[in-house]
Amino acid sequence: MRDELARLPMPTAPSTLLPRLLEAVDAWAGRPWYARAWFTWPLAWQAVSMTLVALAVYATWAAPPLPASIVATSNAGGVIWRALIQPLLGYIVGLVVLMGLACALFGAALNYLFLERTASR
């Protein structure tokens, strides 16, 4: 079988491949500045974007204290976590691990039953 494959001619690319490839490269290179990587942006726009990011970070950290209703809601979330979810978390993780092992075992069995038999013929 290898001899038969070695005697086959090398495949050739279609004549339309190179023009389409060059057109795609030109379209990629001709993208506007804002569609390119950030490091290739004009320096002024890089400075503007860094300033906006810095302002967003500062606004997040310098935010006023949260209202009491939000604090109470987050405390209720903590109570629900500790009372309902946390006791079951070990069982859930164990179930996920067992399901992953079962999938791996099932995949190995399918590989042995179907792929190994066809490869040996």
Side-chain angles (χ1 to χ4, degrees):
M1 179 150 178
R2 288 185 185 177
D3 295 334
E4 293 172 1
L5 288 176
R7 285 187 296 219
L8 289 175
M10 290 296 294
T12 57
S15 61
T16 59
L17 179 63
L18 185 60
R20 288 186 298 156
L21 183 66
L22 292 175
E23 182 181 335
V25 168
D26 287 340
W28 181 260
R31 292 175 298 150
W33 63 269
Y34 54 84
R36 297 179 183 206
W38 183 81
F39 291 107
T40 63
W41 285 13
L43 188 59
W45 285 111
Q46 286 181 354
V48 167
S49 67
M50 286 299 292
T51 304
L52 289 175
V53 168
L55 285 174
V57 168
Y58 177 75
T60 301
W61 281 344
L66 296 174
S69 61
I70 294 178
V71 173
T73 303
S74 64
N75 288 342
V79 169
I80 291 172
W81 170 263
R82 285 188 300 276
L84 297 176
I85 299 171
Q86 196 172 12
L88 298 175
L89 195 58
Y91 298 109
I92 293 170
V93 169
L95 181 64
V96 168
V97 168
L98 283 176
M99 293 297 287
L101 289 173
C103 286
L105 184 64
F106 187 66
L110 286 176
N111 183 32
Y112 175 75
L113 288 176
F114 295 111
L115 296 180
E116 294 294 326
R117 287 187 184 171
T118 58
S120 62
R121 287 182 185 170

